Amino acid sequence: MTASVAAVLFDLDDTLYPERQFVDGGFHAVARLLAGRSDRADPSEETLAARLWELHGRDGRGRLFDTIAAELGIGDDPDLVAACVLAYRTHPVRIEPFPGVPELIDGLRSGGVRTGVVSDGYGAVQARKVAGLGAIAARFDVVVLTDDLGPGHGKPSPTAFRVACRLLGVDPSATIYVGNDPRKDFAGARSAGLRTIRVGPLPNEGGAAVIEVRATDDADLAVDSIDALATTLSGMTT
């Protein structure tokens, strides 16, 4: 990683901010919807949100809302489960970037390095997360949400990475992608010609699943914190 760097692109969830913050807000939104609807009990919002976290830890992502509705004796209402999904996805976003992220973005931009986001997931949800980052959202030169590119272009497809570089007017070989999920973040970026860095912990999706890091899928370089990432990028861009 000695060539010059013209741009740094970032993953969103658990790279720029702790995804647990968004999930917790969503669980509380679902809990508010369900509170008072059960004949079996009258659990509070906090109790229901805590139970959703317990189910997440036990079962992982998937049918959490079906499970908790069944526990409350109201699992025979598919529209209610659909309403839970909507409440989760559209709740007011209250997230904060990891400490050091604003300074990292500002440092890159002050050095003439373009910055951007390439993120998977439902486009409307991811867009709200980007906006929820506050002031730093306006400092990104480009935001590419794979959902907006249509079917077949989610990670690990290289399309979003090539599109981001095209919009920035930079060569992929002069671009770095920073993410945290070796299952999908780096293969597409590498295929598009970008260099890659993994930062921080692996994704935590609950349940008993263990994320295996295979050398063929992992980033070119791994660092354990935003501070270490800032130091690494500073050495590459100055």
Side-chain angles (χ1 to χ4, degrees):
M1 283 197 173
T2 57
S4 62
V5 176
V8 178
L9 303 173
F10 295 87
D11 174 46
L12 179 57
D13 299 310
D14 278 336
T15 298
L16 292 175
Y17 84 101
E19 188 179 18
R20 184 181 177 90
Q21 294 177 350
F22 180 85
V23 175
D24 190 61
F27 282 175
H28 275 82
V30 172
R32 285 192 294 274
L33 177 64
L34 295 178
R37 292 178 179 267
S38 174
D39 294 332
R40 296 183 180 177
D42 188 17
S44 68
E45 174 186 331
E46 289 300 325
T47 299
L48 288 171
R51 179 56 180 159
L52 282 167
W53 275 116
E54 290 173 356
L55 293 172
H56 179 272
R58 186 191 75 185
D59 302 335
R61 297 179 181 179
R63 301 180 64 83
L64 295 179
F65 305 148
D66 302 81
T67 300
I68 197 167
E71 289 183 351
L72 293 171
I74 50 178
D76 57 349
D77 185 351
D79 290 342
L80 179 59
V81 174
C84 288
V85 173
L86 186 64
Y88 179 88
R89 292 179 177 171
T90 61
H91 74 270
V93 177
R94 296 183 178 88
I95 58 177
E96 294 287 339
F98 283 117
V101 164
E103 294 79 6
L104 171 61
I105 302 300
D106 286 344
L108 291 168
R109 290 174 59 83
S110 67
V113 178
R114 312 292 297 280
T115 61
V117 171
V118 175
S119 180
D120 255 354
Y122 291 101
V125 175
Q126 299 305 96
R128 293 174 64 250
K129 292 176 184 176
V130 173
L133 290 172
I136 70 167
R139 301 174 200 167
F140 294 121
D141 298 297
V142 68
V143 174
V144 177
L145 306 177
T146 62
D147 194 38
D148 292 340
L149 300 177
H153 295 304
K155 299 177 189 176
S157 165
T159 303
F161 303 101
R162 293 197 301 257
V163 167
C165 290
R166 181 71 61 88
L167 292 173
L168 289 174
V170 298
D171 193 286
S173 66
T175 305
I176 295 173
Y177 186 65
V178 179
N180 77 305
D181 191 343
R183 297 168 301 178
K184 61 179 183 175
D185 278 345
F186 307 121
R190 186 179 296 113
S191 178
L194 284 70
R195 290 169 281 172
T196 56
I197 299 177
R198 175 163 57 84
V199 63
L202 297 172
N204 178 7
E205 298 177 351
V210 176
I211 296 176
E212 178 185 358
V213 180
R214 298 186 297 181
T216 53
D217 296 331
D218 205 7
D220 302 316
L221 177 69
V223 296
D224 60 6
S225 67
I226 295 297
D227 286 345
L229 175 64
T231 299
T232 298
L233 291 175
S234 177
M236 299 168 64
T237 58
T238 57

